[in-house]
Amino acid sequence: MAYDLITMGRIGVDLYPLQTGVPLPQVTSFGKFLGGSATNVAVAAARLGRRTAVITRTGDDPFGTYLHEALKGFGVDDRWVTPVTGLPTPVTFCEVFPPDDFPLYFYRQPKAPDLEIDAHELDLDAIRDARIFWITGTGLSEEPSRTATLAALAHRAKSGTTVFDLDWRPMFWKDTARGGADAARSFYAEALKHTTVAVGNLDEVEVATGVREPHAAARALLDAGVEVAVVKQGPKGVLAVNSKGDQAEVPPLPVNVLNGLGAGDAFGGSLCHGLLEGWDLEKIMRHANAAGAIVASRLECSSAMPTPDEIEDALAAGAVK
């Protein structure tokens, strides 16, 4: 049976402070959680009842063992999560200063195992057959992950729905440091040729297209070959436009933010769910906004992903209570 969703990209351990409003040097206790954007999207979709799997790599260490256990606990297939000898499983710390300041500190040295995904080890048939395949900009940042990502996209050849999470993290692009976003844009353009849905915030769509104004950026993404462009506008909400000319611009759902870091991944899992359900753009965006808002009201990311009932309750209430 084909998967509803296969994601490919980052995985790691999130060590988040259990004290809010406290600088990292003064934090005395942390919670340990499964992390990594592509992995969290798979978790979010699984929480909504979807059959999901993730393609990624960990260190051959106890944190890697923990991640396998966590994936299984969330109902995400871990068959394509493999160890890399000699590289540690990544760890990410954050500081929590609600409502809008959540500095992240990535420990992915000397290299993150998830950037060691090799094209020759991919199950290309499973990737082609999945109803949705999800890749990220980080996967394009370094070899061999870059070649593996582009090979997977080319083999899939737009069968089903292929989502490109633009996911611009400049600190991961070591070999394009001098050129910055301009150097990365060519790889984004190549990935967009094989993409049916592109998702990103204003910074990310600017990296992908050179355009920052939301409607112009959405048009540029459609011109690059995608069928649906989703532009996140922060406090202004989210804009979605498709190649048929349909458009939805939806405001954010009111919420008291505790930690905004996992909201985008919850949005992504819900987006996939809505696409699989065949909903119209506005319903997809409202559902995804609600999923993101719920996670923003909670400390963690993966284990905070909402259930269908929680999302429906938030939509009915018009806010996250």
Side-chain angles (χ1 to χ4, degrees):
M1 181 186 298
Y3 290 89
D4 290 321
L5 170 66
I6 296 177
T7 68
M8 179 172 170
R10 289 204 308 275
I11 194 170
V13 177
D14 288 344
L15 293 176
Y16 284 0
L18 299 181
Q19 300 140 290
T20 61
V22 178
L24 205 55
Q26 280 74 57
V27 172
T28 58
S29 57
F30 297 85
K32 180 184 70 185
F33 307 103
L34 171 73
S37 63
T39 303
N40 282 337
V41 170
V43 171
R47 190 64 61 86
L48 297 175
R50 296 300 175 178
R51 183 171 184 248
T52 72
V54 60
I55 301 168
T56 190
R57 306 198 72 181
T58 70
D60 188 8
D61 54 26
F63 274 150
T65 301
Y66 160 70
L67 294 176
H68 278 278
E69 293 172 351
L71 285 168
K72 292 174 183 175
F74 289 126
V76 177
D77 196 322
D78 66 341
R79 71 180 62 194
W80 297 304
V81 182
T82 58
V84 179
T85 301
L87 291 179
T89 297
V91 173
T92 302
F93 289 88
C94 78
E95 293 175 300
V96 181
F97 297 105
D100 58 4
D101 187 19
F102 310 102
L104 277 170
Y105 304 91
F106 293 99
Y107 290 78
R108 291 167 60 86
Q109 302 299 329
K111 185 179 183 181
D114 54 63
L115 293 175
E116 284 292 315
I117 299 172
D118 192 284
H120 298 95
E121 298 172 355
L122 295 175
D123 186 338
L124 292 173
D125 289 341
I127 289 171
R128 183 195 59 231
D129 293 343
R131 297 178 69 190
I132 296 181
F133 180 53
W134 176 288
I135 62 104
T136 74
T138 295
L140 300 171
S141 67
E142 198 167 336
E143 294 291 1
S145 172
R146 178 185 299 149
T147 293
T149 300
L150 294 174
L153 290 173
H155 184 83
R156 184 168 168 83
K158 288 192 174 182
S159 60
T161 298
T162 302
V163 183
F164 183 8
D165 174 6
L166 301 176
D167 180 43
W168 172 242
R169 304 277 183 175
M171 72 286 289
F172 296 161
W173 286 76
K174 297 177 184 176
D175 58 354
T176 59
R178 293 184 181 179
D182 290 337
R185 190 166 293 132
S186 63
F187 300 115
Y188 276 61
E190 181 62 28
L192 285 169
K193 294 176 184 177
H194 306 285
T195 298
T196 59
V197 180
V199 185
N201 61 30
L202 295 178
D203 291 337
E204 291 164 342
V205 297
E206 186 175 14
V207 170
T209 68
V211 180
R212 187 173 183 87
E213 194 282 322
H215 289 83
R219 172 51 55 191
L221 290 168
L222 293 174
D223 290 344
V226 308
E227 298 170 11
V228 180
V230 180
V231 181
K232 300 174 184 177
Q233 306 176 78
K236 290 186 63 178
V238 61
L239 167 70
V241 183
N242 68 21
S243 56
K244 299 176 182 177
D246 301 323
Q247 177 177 309
E249 195 158 8
V250 176
L253 204 64
V255 58
N256 291 321
V257 175
L258 175 59
N259 183 357
L261 292 175
D265 302 332
F267 182 101
S270 171
L271 169 68
C272 292
H273 178 67
L275 290 168
L276 290 167
E277 288 291 309
W279 294 340
D280 61 45
L281 283 182
E282 182 166 344
K283 184 172 182 179
I284 292 173
M285 293 303 107
R286 291 193 181 281
H287 193 275
N289 266 358
I294 290 168
V295 173
S297 73
R298 299 168 176 174
L299 173 65
E300 65 273 23
C301 295
S302 54
S303 53
M305 296 303 171
T307 65
D309 286 346
E310 288 173 327
I311 295 174
E312 291 303 324
D313 287 348
L315 287 169
V320 176
K321 301 298 185 181

